[in-house]
Amino acid sequence: MSDFLQNWHFKKYLYITLGIIFIYYTLGVVDLDKNKITNILKDLNYFNLFIAVTLYLLSHTVRVLRLVILNPLANYSIRNLWREQYKANGVNILLPFKLGEAYRLIYFRSFFGSYFNSFVTLICERFLDLLIIFTILSISIYLSPLELSALNYVLFGSLILLLIMALIYYSIEDLTLIIHKIFVEKKTTRLNSLTVKSTGNFLNAIKKIKKLLNQKYTSCLAISFLIWTLEISAFFIFFEILDGKIDLIIFLALAVSLSSLLPNGPMGLGGIQLAFYSIGIVANNPDIVNYSVVYSLFIFGSGLLISGALFIHDYFIKNKDA
């Protein structure tokens, strides 16, 4: 456990360092105009904004359904899982540099039985998301009549990430089994016993999730496609500024989604601006980057409000029970 904590502290400081460098670089590239942002906020269609927020929040409810499919035998309350999904989303939005993933890994343990099950489920989710994102992005780039040389980097990056996730997903069982056998054959010590137990639990978690995924691949892909349909639909609030071009709306949605994999600051600072800036180049409209504030403020802000309300509610419930 001490080795795990040391590795986690190392990764935490690494993420923070990379995040600060990334944000400094991004904000040096993009140019946010305060006056234009003020005018954008004044002219917003708040009905469309309400629809977008609803679609965004609904996508996270559908994510809960996917978790239920991936863990059908676990004994937990779906209502409580829904609450933790929204709380984890808020933590991910608020905490910078990907540190929010630790919250999800820890607090989902009570639903999935162990840290190993929680971790493997997270890998499976990310693999499904990247697979859908890459598929939609590839089809959209192929069908789009626009000159999209700038988005080839996004496509290439998503392909690399997908291959890495696939490599992890399909090879991690064999690698873990090799490590498990090596330590089983070693002399019994406290460290060896801990390693054997940990790798054994991890192997069981991998086998279970792979078995479920093989049985329910169609359902998982279908519900993942629904998740990303809802995510993309939320970006139709930018329909007018993108001249009604559906392909640009799709590209913007997927670029923002992929930016979440970067070591962003709070509220997606850095990655969100870079995604909007990239689509602005494609659309020959550099002012589009100013609309990133709208997305962060209202879409991410809604996620933070619900998460905060749930945290406050749980705090008072615990104090009342105590």
Short mmCIF file of all heavy atoms in Angstrom, two decimals, residues 139-148 247-248 251:
data_model
loop_
_atom_site.label_atom_id
_atom_site.label_comp_id
_atom_site.label_asym_id
_atom_site.label_seq_id
_atom_site.Cartn_x
_atom_site.Cartn_y
_atom_site.Cartn_z
N ILE A 139 -15.83 8.80 -39.47
CA ILE A 139 -16.93 8.89 -40.45
C ILE A 139 -17.21 10.34 -40.81
O ILE A 139 -17.43 10.69 -41.98
CB ILE A 139 -18.20 8.21 -39.89
CG1 ILE A 139 -17.97 6.69 -39.73
CG2 ILE A 139 -19.40 8.47 -40.79
CD1 ILE A 139 -19.09 5.97 -39.03
N SER A 140 -17.20 11.23 -39.79
CA SER A 140 -17.50 12.64 -40.02
C SER A 140 -16.44 13.30 -40.89
O SER A 140 -16.76 14.08 -41.80
CB SER A 140 -17.60 13.38 -38.68
OG SER A 140 -18.64 12.83 -37.88
N ILE A 141 -15.17 12.99 -40.64
CA ILE A 141 -14.09 13.56 -41.45
C ILE A 141 -14.18 13.05 -42.89
O ILE A 141 -13.98 13.80 -43.86
CB ILE A 141 -12.71 13.23 -40.85
CG1 ILE A 141 -12.51 14.02 -39.56
CG2 ILE A 141 -11.58 13.52 -41.83
CD1 ILE A 141 -11.21 13.73 -38.84
N TYR A 142 -14.51 11.78 -43.05
CA TYR A 142 -14.63 11.18 -44.39
C TYR A 142 -15.77 11.82 -45.19
O TYR A 142 -15.63 12.09 -46.39
CB TYR A 142 -14.86 9.68 -44.27
CG TYR A 142 -15.04 8.98 -45.59
CD1 TYR A 142 -13.94 8.73 -46.43
CD2 TYR A 142 -16.31 8.58 -46.02
CE1 TYR A 142 -14.11 8.09 -47.65
CE2 TYR A 142 -16.48 7.95 -47.25
CZ TYR A 142 -15.39 7.71 -48.05
OH TYR A 142 -15.57 7.09 -49.27
N LEU A 143 -16.90 12.10 -44.52
CA LEU A 143 -18.08 12.63 -45.21
C LEU A 143 -18.06 14.15 -45.35
O LEU A 143 -18.77 14.69 -46.20
CB LEU A 143 -19.36 12.22 -44.46
CG LEU A 143 -19.66 10.71 -44.41
CD1 LEU A 143 -20.92 10.46 -43.58
CD2 LEU A 143 -19.83 10.14 -45.82
N SER A 144 -17.26 14.83 -44.53
CA SER A 144 -17.27 16.29 -44.54
C SER A 144 -16.63 16.85 -45.81
O SER A 144 -15.55 16.38 -46.23
CB SER A 144 -16.54 16.83 -43.31
OG SER A 144 -16.47 18.25 -43.36
N PRO A 145 -17.25 17.86 -46.42
CA PRO A 145 -16.65 18.50 -47.61
C PRO A 145 -15.60 19.54 -47.25
O PRO A 145 -14.96 20.10 -48.14
CB PRO A 145 -17.87 19.16 -48.27
CG PRO A 145 -18.77 19.51 -47.11
CD PRO A 145 -18.58 18.41 -46.11
N LEU A 146 -15.40 19.80 -45.96
CA LEU A 146 -14.48 20.84 -45.52
C LEU A 146 -13.04 20.38 -45.58
O LEU A 146 -12.74 19.19 -45.55
CB LEU A 146 -14.82 21.27 -44.09
CG LEU A 146 -16.22 21.84 -43.86
CD1 LEU A 146 -16.47 22.03 -42.38
CD2 LEU A 146 -16.38 23.17 -44.60
N GLU A 147 -12.14 21.34 -45.69
CA GLU A 147 -10.71 21.07 -45.60
C GLU A 147 -10.35 20.93 -44.13
O GLU A 147 -10.41 21.90 -43.37
CB GLU A 147 -9.91 22.21 -46.23
CG GLU A 147 -8.40 22.01 -46.19
CD GLU A 147 -7.95 20.78 -46.95
OE1 GLU A 147 -8.53 20.48 -48.02
OE2 GLU A 147 -7.02 20.11 -46.46
N LEU A 148 -9.98 19.72 -43.73
CA LEU A 148 -9.86 19.43 -42.31
C LEU A 148 -8.46 18.96 -41.91
O LEU A 148 -8.30 18.09 -41.07
CB LEU A 148 -10.89 18.35 -41.92
CG LEU A 148 -12.34 18.72 -42.16
CD1 LEU A 148 -13.23 17.50 -42.04
CD2 LEU A 148 -12.78 19.79 -41.17
N ASP A 247 -21.23 18.96 -39.34
CA ASP A 247 -19.92 18.32 -39.19
C ASP A 247 -19.03 19.11 -38.23
O ASP A 247 -18.31 18.53 -37.40
CB ASP A 247 -19.24 18.14 -40.54
CG ASP A 247 -19.27 19.39 -41.41
OD1 ASP A 247 -19.85 20.40 -40.97
OD2 ASP A 247 -18.72 19.35 -42.52
N LEU A 248 -19.10 20.45 -38.28
CA LEU A 248 -18.31 21.26 -37.36
C LEU A 248 -18.78 21.10 -35.92
O LEU A 248 -17.98 21.13 -34.98
CB LEU A 248 -18.36 22.74 -37.77
CG LEU A 248 -17.49 23.15 -38.96
CD1 LEU A 248 -17.65 24.63 -39.22
CD2 LEU A 248 -16.03 22.81 -38.71
N PHE A 251 -17.35 17.88 -34.77
CA PHE A 251 -15.91 18.01 -34.52
C PHE A 251 -15.63 18.78 -33.23
O PHE A 251 -14.73 18.42 -32.47
CB PHE A 251 -15.24 18.73 -35.69
CG PHE A 251 -15.33 17.99 -36.99
CD1 PHE A 251 -15.49 18.65 -38.19
CD2 PHE A 251 -15.26 16.60 -37.01
CE1 PHE A 251 -15.58 17.96 -39.38
CE2 PHE A 251 -15.35 15.89 -38.20
CZ PHE A 251 -15.51 16.58 -39.39
#
